[in-house]
Amino acid sequence: ACFARGYLPREVRFVGLARTPLDDAAFRVRLADGLKCEEIAADACSLQVGEFLRRCSYCRCEYDSAADWVAVEGRLLALEGGARANRVVYLAVPPFIFGPAARVMAQTGFLSRGDSLTEPWTRLVVEKPFGRDRASYDELQRILGAVCAEEQTFRIDHYLGKEVVQNLLVLRFANTIFEPLWCRAHVSHVHISLSETQGVAGRAGYFDQYGIIRDVMQNHLMQILSLLAMEPPAHLDAEAIRDAKVAVLQKIQPLTLDDLVVGQYGSVASAADSRGYLQEGGVPPDSRTPTYAAAVLRVDTLRWQGVPFLLTAGKGLCHNRTEVRMHFRDEATLFDNAIADLPCGTETNELIIGVQPDEKLALRIVSKTPGVGMKLGTTELDLCFREKYPGQRIADAYENLLLDVVRGDRSLFIRSDELEAAWDIYTPVLQQLESLQIQPWPYAAGSCGPAALDALGMRHGIPDAMVVGQG
């Protein structure tokens, strides 16, 4: 889509690298089925697809083979017309390959730093997971840091490329109505949730090694939390924004077992197609890997002291969505008696930020229900992006981020000390889960998670946590 819209340099080339034996033609056939132009007219799209595929080439490469990287360098120079051009190297490979590949690329001169303004640059994009804990991340960073400068390194978390997540800065700091409310005096608790209806079919080998906390909570949800809870950055440049995120992450105490619930989905006898986690292909029959986690974090800053941040993430759940719900405190009003008649669990005022699948912003308020008498109900003042901007394309998160790599904009990429701070929050409890062999709470596939969530919520002043989790 970026290529079809002319967002990339005119002479751009795309080269796929992997161990599978393929020629250029076979590689282009594999790519063709996934190419889309979306709102571009069909005839123009066909031309763009053809032009894009002509710019795609393939090289077979063993990631730790110096000879193979030398051959790749020669192929790239030929495509570049003999003079080295600017390059983006995207390591979409398992983490254990990062180090060997980066070392060999550096040894063969492939990772040129472009130290002067006239030299071409090389930028390295690293896909999560960034280690398994603080120690493994430090080792990964030691290896990458030895061969690649920090300003060359783009640690990608695709949630930061989502339209609504990018909009958090604008929502907070361009709307003066929110800033006075964005604090402990008015917010009772914040719930950041990521739920998926599907299980882990097809990814069990990877997932069982990492679990839901490492897979999405320590990265995706913590990135959202940092944007919600950080103080205003000094400027809108990349370093100032990331400075503000690091500052708030460093104010979060390490998570403990008392503040955590982990679960694992099981099969449902009444559903013919139901399959529990332990029945997924590639999962050990005695696996204790959590497919669900709920954690309560406290942000120890003046703005947020006493406000619990509830993070929930899981697979095999009843909903497929990611959202933020900021719950405002119930203050005494003239209408307390009428508000008391609202259904149990009804939130009177909350800000809802829908991340996916439907991008939206909504403010829930109390309103009089039409008719005789003073009967109250709740309604939402909402902004649904697809309805508000019907002719405006909402770009894919990876599309946004990879364009930023080309432009050199690091605002939406994770700095090394961000990851250090995030791992410091989760590493102790991850080690306890494994050393103590904690058994996850069971929950039925298609449900809203383990019932233990309510007990966790009550301990932290979040009533009806299961209801809150269902939205």
Side-chain angles (χ1 to χ4, degrees), residues 49-168:
V49 166
E51 181 60 25
F52 175 82
L53 290 174
R54 280 192 290 275
R55 294 169 180 269
C56 295
S57 305
Y58 181 85
C59 291
R60 185 184 180 281
C61 180
E62 294 288 343
Y63 304 120
D64 58 353
S65 168
D68 283 1
W69 282 107
V70 169
V72 170
E73 175 69 18
R75 181 75 184 278
L76 290 184
L77 284 173
L79 291 171
E80 293 163 344
R84 188 183 182 114
N86 294 328
R87 296 174 183 173
V88 173
V89 180
Y90 189 167
L91 284 180
V93 294
F96 67 86
I97 296 177
F98 289 168
R103 274 194 293 259
V104 174
M105 282 191 282
Q107 291 167 5
T108 55
F110 197 87
L111 284 180
S112 168
R113 296 198 178 202
D115 293 327
S116 75
L117 294 177
T118 58
E119 291 179 353
W121 46 255
T122 300
R123 292 171 182 155
L124 182 67
V125 181
V126 184
E127 179 70 83
K128 77 168 186 73
F130 309 108
R132 289 179 47 82
D133 52 21
R134 176 62 194 271
S136 59
Y137 169 70
D138 287 346
E139 176 62 14
L140 176 62
Q141 177 55 26
R142 184 190 66 78
I143 294 169
L144 292 180
V147 300
C148 197
E150 176 66 20
E151 59 269 21
Q152 285 181 278
T153 307
F154 290 72
R155 300 173 191 87
I156 196 167
D157 183 329
H158 73 275
Y159 263 65
L160 289 175
K162 291 183 179 294
E163 192 68 38
V164 174
V165 176
Q166 293 184 67
N167 210 10
L168 284 176

Side-chain angles (χ1 to χ4, degrees), residues 360-428:
K360 77 169 189 175
L361 299 173
L363 182 63
R364 178 168 289 174
I365 63 169
V366 178
S367 175
K368 179 183 180 297
T369 301
V372 178
M374 188 58 68
K375 183 174 175 59
L376 303 186
T378 59
T379 188
E380 292 181 5
L381 307 177
D382 64 342
L383 162 63
C384 179
F385 280 52
R386 295 185 190 279
E387 293 177 5
K388 178 63 177 177
Y389 308 108
Q392 185 72 36
R393 177 177 177 270
I394 298 177
D396 176 79
Y398 277 105
E399 181 181 337
N400 289 330
L401 293 172
L402 292 176
L403 272 177
D404 281 352
V405 176
V406 174
R407 294 167 178 157
D409 184 347
R410 295 161 53 85
S411 303
L412 298 177
F413 293 86
I414 307 171
R415 203 167 62 190
S416 179
D417 51 355
E418 279 185 73
L419 280 167
E420 291 170 1
W423 275 124
D424 285 344
I425 295 167
Y426 286 94
T427 292

Side-chain angles (χ1 to χ4, degrees), residues 10-72:
R10 185 176 178 182
E11 297 304 317
V12 67
R13 296 290 185 272
F14 307 92
V15 180
L17 303 175
R19 292 172 295 186
T20 304
L22 284 177
D23 58 18
D24 289 351
F27 179 58
R28 290 165 184 163
V29 168
R30 289 195 177 192
L31 293 177
D33 288 343
L35 298 179
K36 299 177 182 178
C37 299
E38 296 179 2
E39 73 271 13
I40 294 178
D43 54 347
C45 178
S46 179
L47 291 173
Q48 292 288 353
V49 166
E51 181 60 25
F52 175 82
L53 290 174
R54 280 192 290 275
R55 294 169 180 269
C56 295
S57 305
Y58 181 85
C59 291
R60 185 184 180 281
C61 180
E62 294 288 343
Y63 304 120
D64 58 353
S65 168
D68 283 1
W69 282 107
V70 169
V72 170

